[in-house]
Every structure is written in C-alpha cells, then in structure tokens.
Amino acid sequence: MLRIVNEDPSSPIEYSFEIQSILIRRESPFQEILVVETAALGRVMLLDGAIQYCTRDEFFYHEMAAHPALHTHPSPRRVAIIGGGDGGTLREVLKHKEVEHVTVVEIDEAILEVAKEYLPGAREAFADARVGVEIKDGAEFVQIPGNSFDLMIVDAGDYVGFARSLLTEDFFRSAANLLTDKGLLVTQSGSLHFHRSTVIEIQNVLAQVFPKVDLYTTTLPTLPGNWWTYSIGSKGPSPRKPLRNPIPDCRYYDAGTHEHAFLPETLYIHLRDGKLDW
Ligand code: SAM
C-alpha cells in the first residue's frame, strides 16, 4: 500500500493518504507537479507536495470561486482568471452563456499541459472558443493597460512563493483599474482556521481598493483547515445579493448556498476587528 503525505507549508498539519498509482511527476521551472490516482479522493494533483485539486471535492472550490460573483454581476461578459491552470474555475465560468470571453493568466504552462492530459474537463474547457490564455505572472498582466473585465478571479493556490505577488495592494489596485464600473474581484484567501492572518490581510488590502468588501466560505475536506474562504471586492453590486437566478448545472452552488456561504455579519465584523479568539 503506497501512501503519500500532503505537505502544505502554510498549514500546521500534514496528513497522508493511500494512492493506487502515480500518473505523472513533472518538474516545471516553477514547481513539482504530481498527479496520482486514489480510491478515496479520486484523481489528485499536488504542487510542491501540497494538494491543489481532487476530483472528489474540486467542484466545491471551483463552483464557489466562480458563481457568487458571476451571479452578483448584472451581465458578466469579460472575465479574467489569474492562475487556475487546472481548468476547474474556467469550466464553471464557461457555464454562463452571458460570458463572451475568458482570459486565463497562468504563470506555468506545464500546469495547462498536465491538466489537459490528466484532469477531467480541462481539455474541453481550454478548447472553448471564448477562451484566451496568457502565460505570465498575474502581477505583470494587471499592469498591462487596455484590458477590461467585468470579473477577475484569482485562483492561485497557497500564497507562498511566486503566488505572493498576487497579495499586494499594488496588484489589487492594478486589477481594480481593469474592472468595469460594476466589476468584482474574487480571490481565494485560505482557511479561516489555519490562515486567519492571511484572510484579514487580504480583507484589509481589498478594503483600501474597493468600496464593498466581503467574505464567504465553502467546505473543502482535502485542504488543511477545511473552512475555506474567498475574499470579494466590488465596485458596484452587493455580493450578498445575487442579481440573477442560479444557473441549473451546478453540483453545490445555488441560491441557498450563495446566501449561507457569507459569514454572518457579527462574525464578519469580529473577524475584521481581529476579535476572534479561536
Ligand atoms: N484551482 C486550484 C484548487 O482547486 O485549489 C487552485 C490552485 S491552482 C492549481 C494554482 C495555480 O496558480 C497554479 O497553476 C499556479 O501555477 C498558478 N499561479 C501561482 N502564482 C501565480 C501567478 N503569480 N501568476 C499566475 N499564475 C500563478
């Protein structure tokens, strides 16, 4: 019985899980990419030893990365995904027929190649005629003038190493400058249990840039800390109030999930004020 350990440098726990086979191990200029087959978690992709994607629960993460903001915007036409080379968030964005173009900005081309080969749905998503791919650092991309988006989704995994360039006020301010007047930005912000200082850091930086900032969550059994958060900044609509009826073909997201994903107001205020003592 072969077991591997999930080694997430940003979390205080490690855990191991049984694998049936190794499908690919590839060293890119940015990270080690490992894709394994397991009985319990389905197909799993690890980057530098940390789980990033499991077919068993990825839809919780990707549906919630995409749909709350896509349903909050009155007519999302142009979307940018920073990171997200595994194609999961892209698959969800493409479910919206209003979306006319999606730009995926991925720093590591090897992720795209591995995803198309080994991760279900990735090849089809990237083949959609509405999709354009930029192989570059998202922090550089947002400095390029002339682009305009209704929604930007930052799906760049743990904020360590080269992903930290997506955590700065300069990045969020440059990103906001590319958003239309009702535009929104969503970024995954880690676990409320294990990454609370990062959650607060991102919330405070977003509050310097956007008139409305909020936090919502999902459950992720395979990411350490489980209670996963998304920080959302809005130039217009209130993220808690979807403006459009939920699209039908989601496994987890619907109007109820949208409503209950947001932290209760009191808890959110205590979080922002640094008053949570757990
Ligand atoms: N969708 C994943 C999940 O389910 O948790 C999130 C992780 S995804 C694999 C993270 C992606 O972001 C990786 O492909 C990584 O190469 C990319 N990435 C990290 N930092 C980046 C940056 N600064 N610019 C563009 N892409 C970046």
Side-chain angles (χ1 to χ4, degrees):
M1 175 178 68
L2 195 54
R3 295 187 75 85
I4 57 174
V5 174
N6 179 51
E7 296 167 345
D8 181 339
S10 67
S11 295
I13 59 170
E14 278 185 355
Y15 59 84
S16 69
F17 55 96
E18 188 179 337
I19 68 171
Q20 294 165 321
S21 61
I22 294 176
L23 299 177
I24 184 171
R25 182 196 297 272
R26 176 173 170 181
E27 200 65 52
S28 88
F30 294 92
Q31 51 211 332
E32 182 200 62
I33 307 166
L34 179 65
V35 179
V36 297
E37 203 71 78
T38 77
L41 307 179
R43 189 161 290 188
V44 181
M45 178 172 76
L46 301 94
L47 299 182
D48 288 339
I51 282 185
Q52 299 287 323
Y53 177 113
C54 300
T55 49
R56 170 168 175 165
D57 65 10
E58 58 82 18
F59 61 92
F60 285 95
Y61 174 90
H62 293 117
E63 287 186 13
M64 295 308 284
H67 298 307
L70 279 163
H71 285 89
T72 300
H73 194 285
S75 58
R77 290 191 173 82
R78 297 183 60 79
V79 178
I81 300 170
I82 311 292
D86 54 80
T89 301
L90 175 61
R91 176 196 69 222
E92 295 305 319
V93 170
L94 292 170
K95 286 179 180 174
H96 293 256
K97 61 184 182 331
E98 299 80 2
V99 172
E100 296 167 359
H101 192 271
V102 191
T103 302
V104 177
V105 184
E106 168 58 60
I107 200 168
D108 188 355
E109 191 160 23
I111 295 282
L112 291 161
E113 293 162 1
V114 169
K116 289 176 191 174
E117 185 69 29
Y118 294 100
L119 302 184
R123 182 178 299 282
E124 295 78 0
F126 283 105
D128 189 298
R130 294 174 286 173
V131 178
V133 174
E134 298 268 352
I135 302 299
K136 66 170 70 209
D137 186 327
E140 287 172 30
F141 176 77
V142 295
Q143 302 297 336
I144 302 168
N147 285 310
S148 171
F149 301 104
D150 298 307
L151 170 58
M152 196 172 284
I153 302 171
V154 183
D155 171 19
D158 308 319
Y159 287 107
V160 291
F162 49 85
R164 285 200 63 82
S165 66
L166 306 178
L167 208 51
T168 67
E169 184 175 335
D170 181 47
F171 168 74
F172 287 126
R173 199 168 291 285
S174 305
N177 291 338
L178 301 181
L179 291 173
T180 50
D181 61 353
K182 293 187 174 63
L184 300 104
L185 179 143
V186 175
T187 181
Q188 76 87 18
S189 38
S191 162
L192 212 45
H193 286 304
F194 290 157
H195 309 124
R196 193 167 329 125
S197 57
T198 302
V199 176
I200 295 172
E201 179 187 355
I202 292 174
Q203 286 283 311
N204 291 338
V205 173
L206 285 180
Q208 302 297 314
V209 177
F210 290 94
K212 292 191 184 82
V213 176
D214 215 323
L215 187 79
Y216 64 92
T217 70
T218 191
T219 173
L220 283 175
T222 56
L223 290 190
N226 308 118
W227 195 9
W228 216 257
T229 66
Y230 302 83
S231 291
I232 184 166
S234 175
K235 293 172 84 168
S238 165
R240 291 182 185 239
K241 296 186 176 54
L243 296 178
R244 298 188 298 121
N245 292 326
I247 58 170
D249 50 345
C250 292
R251 297 174 64 183
Y252 177 65
Y253 178 85
D254 67 12
T257 323
H258 185 122
E259 181 188 354
H260 294 289
F262 284 83
L263 279 195
E265 297 278 359
T266 313
L267 189 56
Y268 180 55
I269 290 164
H270 286 334
L271 170 77
R272 292 291 304 273
D273 293 344
K275 288 188 179 148
L276 294 183
D277 63 355
W278 35 263

